[in-house]
């Protein structure tokens, strides 16, 4: 009996030590300590022995069981560590390898232009403000001095949501101007912000998409006048189109939220089928602007006798088309990888005024 146990222990020890992986080790464990395992069978045999036999065999078999269990646990730890090492080696990634060209993403021209515009205005001390895409009538129209039932509201081709129980309807903001209202309601002057974002109108052709992008500008301080507006916008045009001199002109216009209101054009050259900004005999409409209407200031809790300000708004997609020669606006949002390969920008280069915008 004792020799049997000793032989079995030698065999089992060898089997445990040569088990090549965790699965092989588990097979050895089951064959020895499982329900019908060799050691379990020996333990079952104890019941049929005489007390004298049992006194000898009992501790021997139990000792074997304990030693074997410990041995298996130790071997298991070694094998688990080896398996992990092998996996780590196999899954190793060399982070110093250059990116594979096909995996490289690129920055959409609209996002590039947002970054460029923000870099220019940040340099002039403008913070960035944001507002929700889903707006209410108050922020999108009423506080901006659009009269109730005025046709100007329809001119915006607004996407409305279904009526709520109180009869009001939420809408997709038709311009970024509601962010002016939100900013004036939540901050005290002096205010100097731009508000970039998505805007929506029910309109679609070569130069209109139902979703498009605008950037709004707002400055509220004491003593602000149109000279400041003009200076800021001229500086912006010069920096954005990366030309030393840009001639601009302001045409009288109407917006409910500004008084006086103007549209700003830049001088350009349209000869040769291309638009070149800066010089030439043509004009190109770029943006709407004006002095913030006293009614808007009042609606936002600002005293127009103390604080004045200017505002402007422009289409980012149009700026991108102009600057980067993109012919059709709809292609911008068609998500065609060939288009983005052609017009996209390197993601690792952040536009800034020090090293150049684009
Ligand atoms: N919100 C106007 C639009 O979408 C653009 C605009 C014009 C914004 C004049 C302004 C502004 O802030 O002063 O057509």
């Amino acid at each position: 009996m004792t020799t049997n146990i000793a032989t079995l222990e030698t065999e089992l020890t060898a089997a445990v030590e040569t088990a090549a992986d965790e699965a092989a080790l588990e097979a050895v464990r089951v064959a020895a300590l499982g329900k019908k395992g060799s050691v379990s069978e020996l333990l079952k045999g104890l019941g049929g022995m005489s007390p004298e036999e049992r006194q000898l065999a009992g501790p021997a078999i139990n000792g074997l069981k304990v030693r074997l269990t410990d041995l298996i646990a130790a071997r298991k730890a070694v094998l688990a560590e080896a398996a992990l090492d092998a996996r780590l080696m196999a899954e190793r990634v060399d982070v110093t390898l250059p990116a594979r060209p096909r995996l490289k993403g690129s920055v959409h021209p609209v996002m590039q232009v947002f970054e460029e515009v923000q870099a220019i205005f940040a340099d002039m001390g403008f913070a960035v403000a944001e507002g929700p895409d889903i707006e209410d009538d108050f922020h999108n129209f009423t506080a901006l001095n659009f009269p109730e039932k005025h046709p100007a509201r329809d001119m915006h081709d607004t996407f409305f949501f279904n009526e709520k129980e109180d009869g009001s309807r939420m809408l997709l903001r038709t311009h970024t101007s509601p962010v002016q209202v939100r900013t004036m309601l939540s901050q005290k002057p002096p205010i100097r912000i731009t508000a970039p974002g998505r805007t929506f109108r029910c309109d679609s052709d070569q130069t209109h998409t139902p979703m498009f992008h605008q950037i709004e500008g707002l400055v509220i301080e004491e003593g602000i006048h149109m000279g400041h507006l003009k200076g800021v916008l001229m500086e912006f045009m010069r920096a954005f189109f990366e030309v030393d001199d840009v001639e601009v002109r302001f045409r009288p216009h109407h917006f409910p939220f500004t008084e006086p209101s103007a549209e700003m054009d830049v001088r350009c050259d349209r000869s040769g089928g291309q638009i070149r900004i800066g010089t030439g005999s043509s004009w190109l409409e770029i943006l709407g602007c004006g002095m913030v209407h006293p009614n808007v200031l009042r609606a936002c809790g600002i005293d127009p006798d103390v604080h004045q300000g200017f505002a402007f708004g422009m289409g980012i997609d149009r700026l991108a088309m102009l600057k980067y020669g993109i012919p059709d606006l709809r292609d911008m949002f068609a998500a065609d990888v060939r288009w983005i390969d052609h017009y996209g920008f390197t993601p690792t280069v952040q536009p800034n005024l020090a090293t150049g915008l684009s």
Side-chain angles (χ1 to χ4, degrees):
M1 187 72 200
T2 349
T3 36
N4 271 352
I5 294 174
T7 317
L8 184 62
E9 180 154 9
T10 314
E11 281 169 18
L12 287 174
T13 304
V16 168
E17 272 162 8
T18 54
D21 54 29
E22 287 177 89
L25 182 65
E26 177 62 7
V28 175
R29 189 192 67 79
V30 171
L33 303 171
K35 254 197 191 140
K36 297 212 159 61
S38 47
V39 178
S40 309
E41 291 296 335
L42 282 179
L43 282 167
K44 279 183 215 159
L46 285 175
M49 291 181 189
S50 68
E52 296 77 31
E53 280 176 322
R54 200 180 304 134
Q55 217 164 25
L56 266 181
I61 301 172
N62 273 314
L64 166 62
K65 185 181 171 182
V66 169
R67 285 192 298 280
L68 190 65
T69 306
D70 289 350
L71 197 64
I72 289 175
R75 180 72 184 151
K76 193 176 161 96
V78 170
L79 287 174
E81 195 169 326
L84 182 62
D85 282 347
R87 206 173 126 200
L88 287 175
M89 282 304 281
E91 291 178 4
R92 197 159 75 168
V93 174
D94 183 352
V95 292
T96 65
L97 285 176
R100 270 179 276 167
R102 290 309 305 173
L103 293 179
K104 179 198 81 172
S106 43
V107 175
H108 194 285
V110 167
M111 292 304 135
Q112 168 77 16
V113 168
F114 265 138
E115 297 286 335
E116 293 180 15
V117 172
Q118 276 164 224
I120 298 168
F121 282 111
D123 202 55
M124 292 194 257
F126 285 69
V128 174
E130 284 182 308
D133 290 358
I134 297 175
E135 265 297 2
D136 54 27
D137 187 81
F138 173 76
H139 292 92
N140 199 81
F141 293 124
T142 307
L144 289 165
N145 197 36
F146 284 77
E148 267 329 310
K149 307 264 181 327
H150 192 275
R153 292 181 185 231
D154 302 331
M155 265 161 46
H156 274 208
D157 298 312
T158 313
F159 287 112
F160 286 102
F161 288 83
N162 292 339
E163 265 184 26
K164 294 198 280 195
E165 269 172 20
D166 63 5
S168 67
R169 288 189 292 178
M170 298 299 278
L171 50 88
L172 290 176
R173 67 176 176 193
T174 58
H175 50 179
T176 41
S177 304
V179 186
Q180 287 188 26
V181 176
R182 291 184 177 276
T183 306
M184 285 188 275
L185 285 172
S186 63
Q187 293 176 26
K188 295 255 162 299
I191 292 171
R192 209 184 284 189
I193 55 118
T194 59
R198 266 190 292 269
T199 46
F200 307 85
R201 290 182 201 180
C202 187
D203 202 355
S204 183
D205 60 35
Q206 194 180 353
T207 52
H208 296 90
T209 49
M211 187 280 305
F212 57 106
H213 300 86
Q214 286 191 339
I215 193 157
E216 191 82 11
L218 175 72
V219 171
I220 306 284
E221 280 172 46
E222 283 180 42
I224 291 290
H225 54 71
M226 281 206 74
H228 297 121
L229 167 64
K230 197 171 170 189
V232 164
L233 290 178
M234 283 173 64
E235 176 59 22
F236 167 71
M237 287 298 140
R238 207 188 48 71
F240 180 72
F241 287 108
E242 300 175 73
V243 286
D244 288 337
D245 209 10
V246 183
E247 199 184 333
V248 300
R249 71 176 182 193
F250 289 78
R251 274 180 295 103
H253 198 76
H254 171 75
F255 298 107
F257 35 89
T258 42
E259 182 58 37
S261 306
E263 276 189 331
M264 191 187 82
D265 301 341
V266 288
R267 192 176 273 289
C268 70
D269 178 8
R270 292 179 197 261
S271 59
Q274 267 195 340
I275 298 185
R276 258 186 313 279
I277 304 289
T279 51
S281 55
S282 232
W283 293 96
L284 186 75
E285 179 198 320
I286 291 280
L287 55 80
C289 59
M291 299 304 294
V292 179
H293 198 292
N295 288 351
V296 176
L297 293 173
R298 270 185 225 111
C300 299
I302 292 175
D303 182 353
D305 292 329
V306 180
H307 291 103
Q308 296 74 38
F310 65 77
F312 57 87
M314 57 191 152
I316 287 292
D317 318 273
R318 216 168 103 74
L319 282 183
M321 289 170 80
L322 278 172
K323 184 165 177 182
Y324 296 114
I326 299 166
D328 193 318
L329 181 63
R330 288 165 300 190
D331 293 341
M332 285 213 179
F333 310 120
D336 185 327
V337 76
R338 291 164 303 178
W339 187 92
I340 190 76
D341 273 352
H342 181 78
Y343 286 109
F345 291 81
T346 317
T348 47
V349 183
Q350 181 80 8
N352 71 84
L353 289 176
T355 58
L357 284 180
S358 56

